[in-house]
Amino acid sequence: MAVALSDEEFRMWAEWLGEELGHRWGPERREILRTRLEPRRAALGLESFDALLFHLRFHPEREAERARLVPHLTNNESYFFRERGSLDVIRDEVLPELEERLGPGGQARLLSAACAAGEEAYTLSILAREAGRFTAPGALRVTGVDVDPAALERARAGTYTEHAFRGTDAAWRARFFDARDDGGWEVKPAVRAPVRFSDANLVQDGWWRAVGPQHLVLCRNVMIYFDEDAVLRAARGLWEALAPGGYLFLGHAESLRHVPVPFELHRRPGALFYRRPLEAA
Ligand SMILES: C[S@@+](CC[C@H](N)C(=O)[O-])C[C@H]1O[C@@H](n2cnc3c(N)ncnc32)[C@H](O)[C@@H]1O
């Protein structure tokens, strides 16, 4: 039998999800939230969504339950070579500048923040390979982080269906992926070698310490889900995650225009990006 999500329950859930994940749940999406929560309520045999929230806050196994719930609340939509304008700037301007600045023996550290199932992280690895940048062993480190443990598991597996290749052609795919018997495609070992994945919640304090200072961060198509306070929390974290002189690219629909964090804004045809200044202000 369907269980309703009352006004008061919706209010408490929206507040909790804003605080925990940064996500904005407006009242118009109440029924969507109910359907996302329902599988976990039913699996635990709880009589209400209030009881599910109580479980997530206070139960001794709340962390495990949270890991089961989060995949129901995220949108992992992504594909290889998404938003090419930014990728062209990275290939033509950012990687050459980093190679010159870091010098021979330097390691470029690139981060896909909110990496979903890894498409963006592997895109960065492929982009550097195609451009002939940071090709020496150990010269490139790509890290993908996400709050969704199920997405991270898929990222580590590195196997994809047609859907992930809608921004690329078959010849490109054959260069960087091996065909599998089940019809899927698996990222080739050389593309995989510099890439690592770990969990991080971009609106919680301190996540950046685990990944170390980055020269380039892609944080695309996640802030669109955040409320205003979460955008500010995420922007502060991204600043901390960047080394001085580091580059930050957001998604097309995202901006830090009203965010009081002292990034420099740079515009190029088809792309804009932010930089943490080389010299501290
Ligand atoms: C639409 S995907 C974007 C994937 C990729 N960046 C792209 O642009 O194609 C959004 C991702 O953000 C992740 N996400 C949502 N809230 C997050 C948070 N608070 N911290 C880290 N990742 C989060 C989701 O799990 C999801 O994988």
Side-chain angles (χ1 to χ4, degrees):
M1 198 180 64
V3 169
L5 180 65
S6 72
D7 286 353
E8 180 58 7
E9 285 175 320
F10 174 75
R11 195 191 59 69
M12 288 193 311
W13 268 99
E15 194 178 303
W16 189 77
L17 290 169
E19 187 53 40
E20 290 291 312
L21 297 174
H23 298 179
R24 177 175 17 84
W25 281 93
E28 73 289 351
R29 297 177 65 222
R30 171 169 153 173
E31 181 52 21
I32 299 176
L33 180 59
R34 195 194 68 74
T35 57
R36 302 278 186 94
L37 300 176
E38 174 57 18
R40 291 314 308 156
R41 184 205 65 76
L44 290 167
L46 299 170
E47 75 282 5
S48 68
F49 293 106
D50 189 24
L52 180 59
L53 188 54
F54 191 85
H55 185 101
L56 278 158
R57 278 182 160 146
F58 303 114
H59 195 277
E61 287 172 24
R62 57 187 178 276
E63 285 307 322
E65 180 50 34
R66 189 194 150 101
R68 285 184 214 107
L69 177 70
V70 165
H72 293 276
L73 297 168
T74 54
N75 172 359
N76 307 130
E77 171 66 15
S78 191
Y79 53 94
F80 294 104
F81 273 73
R82 186 177 192 179
E83 298 187 11
R84 271 179 188 263
S86 300
L87 301 176
D88 289 347
V89 174
I90 293 168
R91 182 194 59 213
D92 298 339
E93 186 174 335
V94 175
L95 294 179
E97 190 275 330
L98 283 178
E99 213 169 49
E100 194 178 324
R101 179 150 54 93
L102 300 177
Q107 185 192 55
R109 300 172 62 92
L110 318 182
L111 178 72
S112 167
C115 64
E119 297 88 341
E120 194 174 73
Y122 292 125
T123 292
L124 286 172
S125 172
I126 292 170
L127 191 71
R129 275 186 87 73
E130 276 189 309
R133 304 282 175 188
F134 298 102
T135 50
L140 182 69
R141 166 56 60 94
V142 181
T143 306
V145 298
D146 202 282
V147 76
D148 179 342
L152 287 171
E153 206 172 298
R154 295 198 297 280
R156 291 187 184 105
T159 58
Y160 299 92
T161 59
E162 286 289 332
H163 201 59
F165 297 99
R166 60 194 184 279
T168 50
D169 62 32
W172 179 91
R173 181 173 61 194
R175 275 177 69 199
F176 300 109
F177 294 80
D178 293 320
R180 287 162 52 95
D181 293 343
D182 63 5
W185 296 83
E186 180 165 354
V187 69
K188 287 193 192 257
V191 172
R192 190 195 285 271
V195 184
R196 303 281 180 280
F197 294 98
S198 58
D199 65 322
N201 183 342
L202 299 176
V203 300
Q204 300 299 339
D205 212 23
W207 63 267
W208 56 86
R209 289 192 197 100
V211 298
Q214 300 290 319
H215 300 112
L216 164 73
V217 176
L218 262 59
C219 183
R220 305 189 301 173
N221 305 302
V222 59
M223 288 201 199
I224 41 172
Y225 301 104
F226 286 177
D227 60 34
E228 219 174 287
D229 178 59
V231 170
L232 177 59
R233 287 189 276 160
R236 287 188 177 134
L238 292 167
W239 172 275
E240 296 295 338
L242 281 165
Y247 299 80
L248 170 65
F249 287 78
L250 305 181
H252 281 163
E254 296 161 324
S255 118
L256 298 180
R257 208 174 333 158
H258 302 297
V259 176
V261 180
F263 284 111
E264 296 169 354
L265 173 63
H266 297 258
R267 292 177 197 279
R268 300 290 181 271
L272 63 78
F273 60 88
Y274 298 87
R275 257 188 113 173
R276 178 171 168 157
L278 256 177
E279 301 295 332

